[in-house]
Amino acid sequence: MSEEAPVNTGAVVWPDPDSAALAVRRMQTKLHHWAGADASRRFSDLYNLVYDPAFLVHAWERVASNAGARTPGIDRATVARIETWVGVEEFLGQIRDALKSGQFRPVAVRQVMIPKGTSGKLRKLGIPTVADRVVQATLKAVLEPIFETDFKPCSYGFRPNRRAHDAIAEIHYWASKPRNYQWTLEADIEACFDQISHTALMDRLRVRINDKRVCALVKAFLKSGVMTASGDREETLTGTPQGGILSPLLANIALSVLDEHFDRQWQEEMGSQWQRTKRRRNGQGLWKLVRFADDFVLMVAGERHHAEALREEVAVVLAPVGLRLSPEKTRVVHIDEGFDFLGFHIRRKRKRGTQKHFVYTMPSRKAVQSVKDKVKAKTYRSTRHMELDELLVSLNRQLRGWANYFRHAASKSAFNAIDSLTWGRIMRWIRHKYRQGRRGLGMNELRRRFCDRGWRFAHNGEVFTGASSVSVIRYRYRGNTIPTPWPLRQAALAAEG
């Protein structure tokens, strides 16, 4: 905040979670309004919000409800252990005192290696301590509403009220008639989260944040280091370790240099219909950026060489923040060839029974193979100790979750194929589990004992429903109308209050 409008919270008691959430939302709304009202405003009195009791309680609720609450950092403390041995208020009080006195210091993250899709490669994941997670969550709650006013509409990853389906819908919109952006620069940033320049990131942070204590705390998290599985501590000279609550926001701040470049280019050279028509008439290309975190594509109307020329332009824009494109994974493709993005395959094809061509989105082969591999793992011999109803519950949950992500694509045939494979795997699992002597369970006996009607598996009230139980519906393209959690009209009223 500015010096003439300081924030003095004055809270001395720990609020309940609902009251804390309300107080945080009210303050975030004000921050969002102030940042949106003046694009050049620098906030210089934010640090007291980082240790405000409402923000700390709200941050604790987020950390405790996260799926990783049972995963410890290098201090081996989990959320459950803190609740039992220390107490939440005592724990938050210690964090608040350390922040208020300026003695809080982040510790190194615990590095673990997790599979990277089905490629067999591993991805580095950094797990902070619970205390560091809470402080990161408060920092994110303070910084996010400010930077959301600056982020461009072409960015969809790790932003409130935005999702992968919005990015896919944006691509579909520009690739379809009458726009016909038929060429795509499919870009891949090499080790993005590991290579972001700390200096460049902090410079971009300071454009909006003039509070030296907040900037120092963010920098301390960037420099906190990594503790490897072998027990060695490594310095973090670049990058934002994946796994931290704050990392996606910091990555978006760094990568917004790409959004700003192409948004400025669009507004100045292609923003009006007259400008676009003139460029097409003169043989010049048009392009739009669609980014989801470190994955992005440039949709191009024109010829292949227009898309190829953008490769070097992107490289020049990314260089100041320490990033570079992967030569092997960055390529130019035509919409008729199709390309994969965020698990979807996007391609223009002829509609069956007609001569008309339309752009279709469907689950990619890699995504389909991934869920098939998970089904095979769940129905392997190592799971035959389970009861059939346990297996059905587990498979239904997994397939329903996968299908919910792809329900907005042309997915019905993929859902049916996955269910067909799953049915066969369950059938063989049952026949081997309940085998009679050397022979597997007969099909008639299997149907009588384990199917409710027809050939649908059921046991102890649990029925196999699979991916096909999820209805396929079209996703509504929202364009530039996606609201933030802090609408400016409400923000103005809150600021006045």
Side-chain angles (χ1 to χ4, degrees):
M1 232 139 299
S2 66
E3 294 179 359
E4 61 271 19
V7 173
N8 296 310
T9 57
V12 293
V13 295
W14 297 105
D16 62 87
D18 291 339
S19 300
L22 187 63
V24 169
R25 175 57 61 91
R26 188 180 296 116
M27 179 51 68
Q28 286 180 319
T29 304
K30 291 181 179 181
L31 291 171
H32 188 66
H33 168 67
W34 290 329
D38 184 357
S40 62
R41 184 170 189 168
R42 298 181 71 201
F43 292 77
S44 58
D45 187 18
L46 294 174
Y47 190 73
N48 56 350
L49 291 179
V50 177
Y51 61 80
D52 180 81
F55 276 78
L56 287 171
V57 169
H58 185 65
W60 170 263
E61 290 298 312
R62 173 174 179 178
V63 171
S65 61
N66 190 275
R70 293 176 294 179
T71 307
I74 63 171
D75 62 355
R76 315 308 300 175
T78 62
V79 167
R81 184 176 179 180
I82 290 168
E83 289 175 335
T84 304
W85 290 12
V86 181
V88 175
E89 290 191 4
E90 177 66 22
F91 177 72
L92 294 181
Q94 293 172 4
I95 294 176
R96 184 173 189 269
D97 291 342
L99 286 168
K100 193 172 182 179
S101 64
Q103 296 177 345
F104 181 86
R105 296 290 183 273
V107 298
V109 298
R110 182 169 67 89
Q111 187 180 87
V112 296
M113 308 299 288
I114 61 172
K116 190 176 182 180
T118 56
S119 62
K121 298 181 180 179
L122 296 176
R123 173 187 283 120
K124 295 178 182 178
L125 194 68
I127 304 175
T129 63
V130 176
D132 285 355
R133 278 178 249 175
V134 170
V135 177
Q136 286 192 34
T138 62
L139 271 172
K140 182 175 184 290
V142 172
L143 297 176
E144 187 174 55
I146 296 171
F147 283 95
E148 270 297 316
T149 62
D150 299 331
F151 290 158
K152 303 302 179 184
C154 61
S155 166
Y156 295 94
F158 304 110
R159 293 183 58 189
N161 290 354
R162 289 169 171 255
R163 55 187 74 94
H165 302 97
D166 290 312
I168 297 299
E170 182 82 0
I171 293 172
H172 190 279
Y173 174 82
W174 289 105
S176 301
K177 292 182 179 179
R179 290 153 295 276
N180 288 327
Y181 284 53
Q182 299 179 4
W183 290 97
T184 302
L185 175 65
E186 187 185 0
D188 182 86
I189 300 176
E190 202 170 276
C192 174
F193 282 85
D194 297 331
Q195 298 297 328
I196 292 174
S197 164
H198 290 174
T199 301
L201 174 56
M202 292 305 300
D203 286 345
R204 294 188 65 80
L205 185 77
R206 292 188 184 102
V207 170
R208 277 298 202 169
I209 309 302
N210 198 30
D211 190 319
K212 292 183 179 180
R213 293 176 297 175
V214 170
C215 291
L217 188 56
V218 172
K219 189 172 183 179
F221 276 113
L222 293 174
K223 300 292 186 183
S224 61
V226 172
M227 189 69 71
T228 65
S230 60
D232 298 324
R233 189 181 186 281
E234 297 180 354
E235 299 295 326
T236 48
L237 304 178
T238 60
T240 59
Q242 293 187 67
I245 294 173
L246 192 60
S247 292
L249 174 62
L250 296 180
N252 270 334
I253 292 173
L255 288 169
S256 61
V257 66
L258 198 65
D259 309 338
E260 291 167 3
H261 172 81
F262 285 104
D263 182 76
R264 181 169 57 251
Q265 204 173 61
W266 176 268
Q267 298 297 335
E268 293 175 357
E269 302 175 23
M270 314 171 209
S272 69
Q273 183 62 46
W274 179 83
Q275 287 176 310
R276 293 192 290 273
T277 302
K278 182 181 178 182
R279 287 180 67 90
R280 285 180 186 264
R281 189 168 57 244
N282 294 337
Q284 296 175 290
L286 306 170
W287 46 84
K288 285 289 289 185
L289 173 72
V290 181
R291 183 176 68 82
F292 189 94
D294 58 331
D295 294 323
F296 67 92
V297 295
L298 275 158
M299 305 299 298
V300 181
E303 303 296 332
R304 182 185 184 95
H305 66 87
H306 293 129
E308 290 284 3
L310 290 172
R311 188 195 305 252
E312 185 61 32
E313 186 173 338
V314 169
V316 171
V317 174
L318 290 177
V321 291
L323 300 176
R324 62 181 181 271
L325 294 176
S326 169
E328 301 81 16
K329 297 180 181 179
T330 300
R331 62 190 187 118
V332 172
V333 296
H334 193 271
I335 194 65
D336 290 343
E337 300 174 57
F339 62 95
D340 293 347
F341 190 65
L342 304 179
F344 292 87
H345 183 71
I346 306 167
R347 184 180 180 185
R348 187 174 65 178
K349 299 194 300 182
R350 182 176 62 85
K351 184 177 181 180
R352 186 179 301 172
T354 72
Q355 294 302 315
K356 296 181 179 180
H357 288 73
F358 296 92
V359 177
Y360 290 90
T361 60
M362 59 203 80
S364 68
R365 289 183 180 179
K366 187 176 179 180
V368 172
Q369 189 58 51
S370 174
V371 75
K372 285 182 176 180
D373 290 342
K374 291 176 181 177
V375 167
K376 290 175 182 177
K378 282 184 181 290
T379 53
Y380 196 60
R381 68 180 65 179
S382 59
T383 65
R384 288 183 198 152
H385 65 280
M386 299 171 62
E387 292 299 323
L388 177 58
D389 54 330
E390 294 179 71
L391 179 68
L392 294 180
V393 168
S394 179
L395 286 170
N396 282 337
R397 184 183 298 117
Q398 184 175 72
L399 293 180
R400 189 163 52 247
W402 184 88
N404 274 324
Y405 180 76
F406 290 104
R407 69 184 303 181
H408 301 298
S411 305
K412 202 62 183 176
S413 61
F415 290 177
N416 290 334
I418 291 165
D419 284 354
S420 178
L421 174 133
T422 307
W423 190 95
R425 296 289 302 187
I426 296 173
M427 179 269 292
R428 287 186 285 275
W429 187 90
I430 293 174
R431 293 190 70 188
H432 282 86
K433 179 177 176 67
Y434 298 98
R435 65 189 309 135
Q436 298 170 339
R438 290 190 171 185
R439 299 183 59 187
L441 187 69
M443 293 299 289
N444 289 334
E445 180 69 7
L446 178 145
R447 182 176 184 179
R448 184 183 66 82
R449 291 175 57 185
F450 301 108
C451 297
D452 63 346
R453 65 175 184 269
W455 285 96
R456 189 173 70 163
F457 291 118
H459 189 63
N460 290 341
E462 297 296 337
V463 178
F464 174 66
T465 54
S468 298
S469 63
V470 177
S471 59
V472 174
I473 57 175
R474 185 167 185 147
Y475 189 76
R476 182 174 61 85
Y477 174 61
R478 300 194 289 171
N480 293 335
T481 63
I482 303 174
T484 70
W486 320 282
L488 291 182
R489 182 178 299 175
Q490 295 181 15
L493 295 175
E496 290 173 4

